[in-house]
Amino acid sequence: MIAGRGPSPILVLSLVQRLPDTSLTVALASGGRQFFGWGQDRHLTADIYDALNTNTRATGQWGKKAPKIPEFPRPKAKTTAKASKRPASVAEIYQQFQRR
């Protein structure tokens, strides 16, 4: 709220908390644009895919050695010393929105 104008902080906080887990704001807070669209359902689907492949590899009737089945590709968080110590601030998320 600037100079008494604008929405109340509690309203803004409640709106941000209700964002879907696939939104760009949640993705930027999670680690970057590569997480955009990766909600809880997509993570669970990737885990099920990997579990099925592990089960197939473990129980298959292979001749000599079980083949290597690649894991489902997932986004990787960019690790930096600054990002690993504290969560992203609102100003940092805003700067990421401004980049193209």
Side-chain angles (χ1 to χ4, degrees):
M1 184 168 353
I2 300 171
R5 295 185 308 255
S8 66
I10 192 73
L11 175 65
V12 173
L13 182 61
S14 64
L15 290 175
V16 168
Q17 288 175 342
R18 296 188 72 178
L19 285 172
D21 58 352
T22 57
S23 69
L24 183 58
T25 303
V26 174
L28 292 175
S30 298
R33 287 184 182 266
Q34 65 271 20
F35 290 99
F36 181 60
W38 275 82
Q40 190 175 20
D41 58 337
R42 186 170 284 186
H43 282 288
L44 287 174
T45 304
D47 290 340
I48 289 171
Y49 177 86
D50 290 341
L52 284 172
N53 283 340
T54 301
N55 186 35
T56 301
R57 192 168 189 260
T59 60
Q61 299 292 323
W62 313 109
K64 294 182 180 178
K65 186 174 141 182
K68 175 69 176 148
I69 303 172
E71 291 184 349
F72 195 86
R74 292 177 171 84
K76 304 257 189 292
K78 297 175 186 172
T79 57
T80 61
K82 186 174 102 175
S84 63
K85 291 184 181 177
R86 61 182 176 84
S89 68
V90 175
E92 293 170 349
I93 294 173
Y94 181 74
Q95 287 176 349
Q96 290 178 352
F97 269 119
Q98 298 304 315
R99 287 187 220 146
R100 291 187 188 236

